[in-house]
Amino acid sequence: MRSTTFIFALLITASLFIYSGCGNGNSTGGAMSHSSAAEKVYVAPGEYDQYYEFFSGGFSGQVTVHGLPSGRLLKTIPVFSVDGEKGYGFNEETKPMLMTTYGFVPWDDSHHPKLSQTEGVHDGNFLFINANNTPRIARIDLTTFETTEIIEIPNSGGSHASPYPTQNTEYLVAATRFSVPIPQKDVPIDSYKENFKGTFTFISGGQEPGEMDIAFQILAPGYDYDLAHCGKGVSHGWTFFTSYNVEQANTLKEKNASQYDKDYIAAVNWKKAEEYIAQGKFKEWPSEYYHNYYSDKTHTGTSTKMKGVKVLIPSECPGLVYYLPTPKSPHGVDVSPTGEYIVGNGKLSADLTVHSFEKMLAAIEAKKFDDEIDGIPVLNYDAVHVGTVEMGGLGPLHTEFDGRGHGYTSFFISSEVVKWSLETFEVVDRIPAYYSIGHLSIPGGGSMKPWENGKYLIAMNKITKDRYLPTGPELAHSAQLYDISGDKMELLLDFPTMGEPHYAQGILASKIMDKQVKFFRLEENEHKYKALTEADTKVVRKGKEVHIYGTMIRSHFAPDNIEGIKVGDKVFWHITNLEQDWDVPHGLAVMGANNAELLIMPGQTETLVWEPKAEGVYPFYCTDFCSALHQEMQGYIRVSAENANTKMKWRLGDEAFGE
């Protein structure tokens, strides 16, 4: 299995050719005429885009929502990073969402947004996305476009191969990108082969808000598991994970993890896992992890420490996991809409390898095994291989499908999208990307029924020199929109994205837009510190803590004058937005607050903590332009010396109150 022949020189040479030969990027490079392309992406003022497209924010930790075909940015959704615009991670209600076993973690690296599915079709209920650094999976509710649940993944190092949903979102799956000692312990790094392991994690509750939990984990050999895809149709009940570094190297992986000709795709039979769990054939590991949930009733997040994980050991559970040999360093593993074909994208190969699920089952039945690793049979390559897309390009990463019998693969080194036939495995078209394309997305392309049989394709590119106005050393990453409705792909549009989007998924707008929550009903507000009318407003001292029960409505705060606060107090501003109209949020900013503003939706209550450091009179105001008298929506809070006898009192107009 060993080979000392590398293709690094070829890849570097090809890369240099690409970057020196692409010109200044101003040519259309396979695009239509400018006027024809513009017509295809034009969305007139007042009209809606046909699709929502959800992009990972990469190192920003967020999700961005764009409309297609216009490319317009519709919203940034805070997920794994604090956000000053919305107060996410700063206000008291959302701080629990970022709790982990490592404490409050205000940043992460978000990679793969995935839409919930019913019967293999995106249903428009939820979006899930992974955190790669501190392993977590988040749920975004698509009625509010807000993060409502985050679960931490124990026994993992880098949750890259996640959060892929099964056909009915029975599970969200994840795997370790970085194998680590499991359970964690102090061992020499050079003992990698003896002590480092990986895990496959299956999370339940994908369609039940507030119920996400670690259903079970499977212990795996200590490789690096890169990406995943769940089976569908005929392969429903299986999940496929790519791996690299079967050499189990722990240094200079760019060389030492490429010694073998083949790495593996791990095929996991999760229905068999359910049988073993029901039979009690699992180990109970005392792992700890956090489950965080935000309720739209209480408008508050809670954080709960969970303990204990069920772990299956493949050597004790025959038929649970199999390895499919695949050209080395595969990145993506993608499953065709019928579930029959499993496509491996070996980054160090010029070819695409296609495995057959039917042949895999036959090979398992006939015991066509070439090896066994920690109780996991290695299937014979020829027994599962069904076809090869030859000389597709350099550096294949990811494949999507159009529902018309074609696969589309991104090639990082040769910077192109290649279209190929699922029937003949022949290349039928190719088009340049600008430059170094990573993943690509066809709306619905990862499901059993791509929307409109593949109308658009999005390329997510890593390098954008010459595409936009220069902005210093760092440039915006580029998304490129292609028309794939005809025989030939046609470039329509470039638009910039946040951070480094690793993946995106799209869905017809009609599946989501009519589900939108437009405001929160005041009568359903169960926040502990709500004030549902101006008559409910008050200021309460509890030792050094002061709680302000306030309200806001166009165009004033209640109360808007507050006295009796002292240096050294910890002031909790609990503010309820009394509006019951769509799209009338209000903001709260207080001079000297060292966190962020609050941005409060109609009917919602949020809390800002303010600790005054010096005597004086400090203004507070609304940060969101809400009416013609927005500038007048302001107030004052008086801060006295720590030992002052200033009485607590508050007022709104002629009405004054006090303790």
Side-chain angles (χ1 to χ4, degrees):
M1 193 174 177
R2 285 190 175 275
S3 171
T4 56
T5 302
F6 301 111
I7 63 172
F8 293 118
L10 172 62
L11 299 182
I12 292 170
T13 302
S15 179
L16 290 173
F17 171 77
I18 290 162
Y19 292 129
S20 64
C22 281
N24 64 7
N26 291 326
S27 63
T28 56
M32 320 162 75
S33 70
H34 292 311
S35 60
S36 177
E39 288 174 2
K40 284 203 168 190
V41 301
Y42 179 67
V43 178
E47 294 185 1
Y48 293 149
D49 278 285
Q50 188 176 4
Y51 291 93
Y52 288 105
E53 185 79 13
F54 300 92
F55 288 80
S56 69
F59 43 71
S60 78
Q62 320 292 36
V63 167
T64 56
V65 187
H66 291 257
L68 294 184
S70 73
R72 297 179 297 196
L73 176 64
L74 304 177
K75 185 170 183 177
T76 299
I77 304 173
V79 187
F80 296 116
S81 298
V82 295
D83 182 84
E85 177 187 344
K86 298 174 181 65
Y88 180 84
F90 289 104
N91 65 42
E92 298 305 293
E93 287 76 13
T94 56
K95 284 180 181 177
M97 300 301 290
L98 298 176
M99 279 301 298
T100 74
T101 52
Y102 303 94
F104 179 83
V105 176
W107 171 86
D108 219 302
D109 183 18
S110 60
H111 277 226
H112 306 124
K114 289 288 178 179
L115 290 155
S116 57
Q117 296 186 30
T118 300
E119 297 182 355
V121 178
H122 296 149
D123 54 33
N125 293 335
F126 307 108
L127 182 77
F128 303 96
I129 190 164
N130 62 319
N132 190 40
N133 186 50
T134 302
R136 290 169 285 174
I137 290 176
R139 178 203 306 273
I140 295 168
D141 188 325
L142 293 181
T143 66
T144 60
F145 279 59
E146 300 291 349
T147 303
T148 57
E149 194 167 0
I150 296 179
I151 190 162
E152 188 179 4
I153 302 175
N155 305 315
S156 180
S159 178
H160 194 250
S162 68
Y164 296 86
T166 54
Q167 182 172 299
N168 292 295
T169 323
E170 299 96 335
Y171 297 107
L172 303 167
V173 305
T176 47
R177 175 181 175 184
F178 314 112
S179 287
V180 292
I182 297 177
Q184 274 286 12
K185 55 187 174 182
D186 179 14
V187 297
I189 298 174
D190 284 344
S191 69
Y192 188 111
K193 292 184 179 181
E194 294 76 33
N195 289 306
F196 287 49
K197 296 291 182 182
T199 54
F200 305 129
T201 301
F202 287 74
I203 294 169
S204 58
Q207 292 282 21
E208 293 81 40
E211 299 298 322
M212 288 171 65
D213 201 1
I214 309 296
F216 58 88
Q217 293 186 309
I218 299 171
L219 194 66
Y223 308 151
D224 293 348
Y225 296 92
D226 200 359
L227 288 178
H229 247 97
C230 291
K232 60 193 78 165
V234 296
S235 56
H236 177 51
W238 291 76
T239 298
F240 306 94
F241 299 88
T242 52
S243 69
Y244 62 100
N245 190 29
V246 300
E247 298 85 352
Q248 295 185 293
N250 59 275
T251 184
L252 275 180
K253 286 191 178 182
E254 61 181 299
K255 177 181 74 172
N256 295 327
S258 302
Q259 297 293 310
Y260 296 164
D261 287 332
K262 302 272 194 308
D263 285 297
Y264 299 126
I265 290 174
V268 177
N269 187 339
W270 58 260
K271 287 192 174 180
K272 179 70 73 173
E274 290 180 328
E275 294 176 11
Y276 283 126
I277 293 292
Q279 295 166 13
K281 293 186 177 180
F282 57 85
K283 310 291 185 186
E284 186 76 36
W285 284 8
S287 308
E288 293 187 345
Y289 57 99
Y290 270 88
H291 174 249
N292 307 325
Y293 177 63
Y294 180 90
S295 166
D296 281 333
K297 294 291 187 183
T298 63
H299 303 293
T300 301
T302 56
S303 188
T304 305
K305 181 181 283 189
M306 313 291 283
K307 295 185 178 182
V309 174
K310 296 179 176 67
V311 178
L312 297 172
I313 311 298
S315 61
E316 301 173 6
C317 302
L320 183 60
V321 185
Y322 298 91
Y323 278 140
L324 284 63
T326 298
K328 58 188 174 184
S329 295
H331 186 55
V333 54
D334 302 287
V335 180
S336 64
T338 64
E340 170 58 23
Y341 293 137
I342 304 150
V343 182
N345 303 298
K347 297 195 300 289
L348 301 184
S349 172
D351 301 332
L352 291 177
T353 299
V354 185
H355 300 300
S356 161
F357 181 73
E358 183 180 357
K359 292 187 71 174
M360 185 193 85
L361 292 184
I364 292 171
E365 180 69 22
K367 299 188 183 300
K368 293 185 178 180
F369 306 146
D370 286 345
D371 198 358
E372 183 175 287
I373 302 169
D374 292 356
I376 299 175
V378 178
L379 296 172
N380 177 268
Y381 176 79
D382 292 327
V384 298
H385 174 245
V386 70
T388 299
V389 182
E390 296 183 348
M391 297 305 293
L394 293 176
L397 290 184
H398 174 223
T399 299
E400 294 253 299
F401 306 93
D402 63 8
R404 300 192 306 273
H406 300 108
Y408 297 74
T409 301
S410 56
F411 286 83
F412 177 79
I413 299 297
S414 51
S415 289
E416 58 185 332
V417 178
V418 173
K419 177 182 178 181
W420 52 276
S421 168
L422 279 165
E423 183 178 349
T424 65
F425 306 117
E426 294 177 339
V427 173
V428 296
D429 192 22
R430 63 177 71 235
I431 194 168
Y434 301 97
Y435 311 95
S436 294
I437 180 176
H439 283 245
L440 46 77
S441 169
I442 294 173
S447 72
M448 293 181 69
K449 294 182 179 179
W451 301 111
E452 300 185 296
N453 285 327
K455 184 175 183 179
Y456 298 117
L457 180 145
I458 297 286
M460 283 153 276
N461 306 324
K462 305 300 184 186
I463 295 173
T464 57
K465 64 176 185 178
D466 305 325
R467 302 306 289 178
Y468 306 125
L469 290 171
T471 54
E474 184 185 19
L475 304 178
H477 287 261
S478 171
Q480 294 188 298
L481 178 70
Y482 297 87
D483 181 343
I484 60 169
S485 60
D487 291 336
K488 305 292 288 184
M489 294 179 282
E490 298 172 305
L491 177 61
L492 300 179
L493 180 70
D494 280 19
F495 57 92
T497 59
M498 172 185 282
E500 181 194 0
H502 292 260
Y503 186 58
Q505 279 207 318
I507 188 171
L508 281 170
S510 59
K511 297 289 291 185
I512 295 179
M513 61 184 295
D514 292 337
K515 300 179 180 180
Q516 296 308 289
V517 171
K518 298 180 178 179
F519 59 87
F520 298 100
R521 297 188 182 280
L522 283 170
E523 62 269 23
E524 296 176 359
N525 186 325
E526 298 176 9
H527 194 286
K528 182 179 178 180
Y529 295 101
K530 64 183 180 291
L532 301 185
T533 69
E534 291 184 357
D536 298 329
T537 61
K538 57 186 175 181
V539 182
V540 177
R541 176 177 287 281
K542 296 180 179 179
K544 286 286 190 179
E545 285 188 4
V546 176
H547 292 263
I548 300 171
Y549 296 69
T551 64
M552 46 176 42
I553 195 167
R554 288 167 287 184
S555 294
H556 63 265
F557 291 90
D560 63 3
N561 282 201
I562 302 170
E563 300 186 32
I565 308 301
K566 300 177 184 179
V567 173
D569 283 344
K570 191 172 187 177
V571 181
F572 293 80
W573 298 74
H574 310 291
I575 307 296
T576 302
N577 182 344
L578 298 181
E579 305 286 355
Q580 293 289 267
D581 272 342
W582 189 19
D583 196 26
V584 191
H586 290 297
L588 170 69
V590 185
M591 185 176 177
N594 55 3
N595 39 35
E597 66 148 6
L598 298 181
L599 189 63
I600 310 171
M601 300 301 112
Q604 193 175 47
T605 304
E606 289 190 4
T607 303
L608 179 145
V609 172
W610 180 63
E611 299 183 61
K613 301 295 192 298
E615 301 169 34
V617 177
Y618 297 90
F620 58 91
Y621 67 101
C622 177
T623 55
D624 191 294
F625 203 103
C626 53
S627 73
L629 296 177
H630 165 73
Q631 292 295 95
E632 285 76 11
M633 192 169 174
Q634 62 188 56
Y636 291 101
I637 184 166
R638 176 185 172 189
V639 177
S640 301
E642 185 174 5
N643 58 356
N645 294 319
T646 310
K647 290 185 177 182
M648 184 72 69
K649 59 181 180 180
W650 60 95
R651 70 183 300 127
L652 176 65
D654 294 332
E655 294 189 79
F657 305 90
E659 292 184 336

